[in-house]
Amino acid sequence: MNLAGKTALITGGSRGIGRAIAIEFARRGADVALVGRDVAALRESAEACANARPGATAEFFEGDVTDRATMERIVDEVVKRFGRLDCAVANAGQSVDALLLRLKPETLDHLLEVNLKSAFHLCSAVAKPMMKQRAGAIVLMTSIVGMTGNPGQAAYAASKAGLIGLSKSLAKELGSRNIRVNAVAPGLIETAMTEKMPVAAREFLIKQAALGRAGKPEDVSGVVAFLCSDAAGYITGQTIVVDGGILM
């Protein structure tokens, strides 16, 4: 799982799971490029990456991940800055709960833009330099909710389920160029997003977990690093569940 000499681009790397992934990549030897709109939080993540390993290089790029032209520009800048692009992680995402009959069209549009279409834009942009290199690894961050569904989360679940289909389709499209595409589906992970969950819902999920606890961002980051490493060189089109045993 040595990532020395590799360059990784991560969306949604300003906090939570995204920041943990960025630190994991830096610790394992990769140069890291972070993308998002919260400049202050991105700067904190970049500093944490730089502190994770002596000599680590981490830079952040401000931009809207839902805008295709912006993502193409940022990817071009990353390739010019680092000379190559080996790994890309589509981690940007949001959750808005609403029952179907109360779901506003603008809420649906927003979740699809942030959770699903942004991944399309990232994959389209990074595929170009990866195809030239004839090598690369892409990881899409989905959710166990995208596999099971959940009352009140139809829009969120649909957007996350779409990422699973996207990962499998791109694995077949890009495999001949030695580009691997996988998805990671976390369960209940301790982040700012899950802190807003009702206590009863959190306790229910923890009871369902075979390990009897909520996960930490670091429980996910190691899996993502593995999928982007040469150790996973024959793994593509898969969805790796990281949920402590909730779905068993």
Side-chain angles (χ1 to χ4, degrees):
M1 289 178 61
N2 182 8
L3 299 175
K6 295 183 182 293
T7 297
L9 185 155
I10 303 163
T11 64
S14 59
R15 55 180 60 85
I17 294 175
R19 178 176 291 184
I21 292 171
I23 294 172
E24 186 78 24
F25 273 71
R27 188 174 67 83
R28 294 187 178 276
D31 293 327
V32 179
L34 304 169
V35 183
R37 290 193 291 186
D38 188 337
V39 173
L42 287 172
R43 181 176 289 109
E44 290 178 0
S45 291
E47 292 174 351
C49 290
N51 293 331
R53 173 178 55 85
T57 300
E59 296 188 7
F60 60 89
F61 299 80
E62 181 184 5
D64 183 358
V65 298
T66 67
D67 183 73
R68 179 166 182 165
T70 297
M71 289 308 303
E72 290 179 345
R73 172 183 58 80
I74 290 176
V75 168
D76 287 342
E77 291 179 6
V78 171
V79 173
K80 290 178 181 177
R81 169 64 181 85
F82 295 101
R84 59 185 299 110
L85 180 56
D86 303 282
C87 316
V89 182
N91 177 71
Q94 293 183 7
S95 175
V96 179
D97 296 350
L99 294 171
L100 177 63
L101 297 182
R102 297 180 180 177
L103 180 63
K104 297 180 180 179
E106 55 268 29
T107 299
L108 173 61
D109 290 341
H110 176 71
L111 286 179
L112 292 177
E113 287 280 348
V114 175
N115 295 351
L116 183 57
K117 291 182 69 175
S118 67
F120 270 89
H121 299 330
L122 174 66
C123 292
S124 176
V126 303
K128 297 173 184 177
M130 288 182 177
M131 289 175 72
K132 291 181 180 179
Q133 296 170 178
R134 300 191 71 84
I138 300 171
V139 175
L140 309 183
M141 299 301 298
T142 178
S143 167
I144 60 170
V145 175
M147 304 173 72
T148 65
N150 199 38
Q153 289 190 312
Y156 178 74
S159 66
K160 290 297 186 178
L163 291 173
I164 296 175
L166 175 61
S167 67
K168 294 182 180 298
S169 296
L170 294 185
K172 293 181 177 181
E173 283 189 26
L174 303 176
S176 63
R177 299 298 182 93
N178 195 33
I179 301 171
R180 299 180 297 102
V181 187
N182 293 288
V184 172
L188 177 62
I189 307 298
E190 295 176 347
T191 65
M193 181 184 296
T194 58
E195 285 179 357
K196 301 176 183 178
M197 291 178 60
V199 174
R202 283 179 56 87
E203 291 180 348
F204 174 79
L205 287 175
I206 290 174
K207 288 180 180 179
Q208 296 299 308
L211 296 182
R213 65 174 178 86
K216 299 178 181 180
E218 293 75 18
D219 291 320
V220 180
S221 61
V223 177
V224 177
F226 164 70
L227 290 174
C228 288
S229 73
D230 293 341
Y234 201 55
I235 299 176
T236 194
Q238 303 302 307
T239 300
I240 309 300
V241 176
V242 186
D243 70 347
I246 293 176
L247 293 188
M248 287 198 305

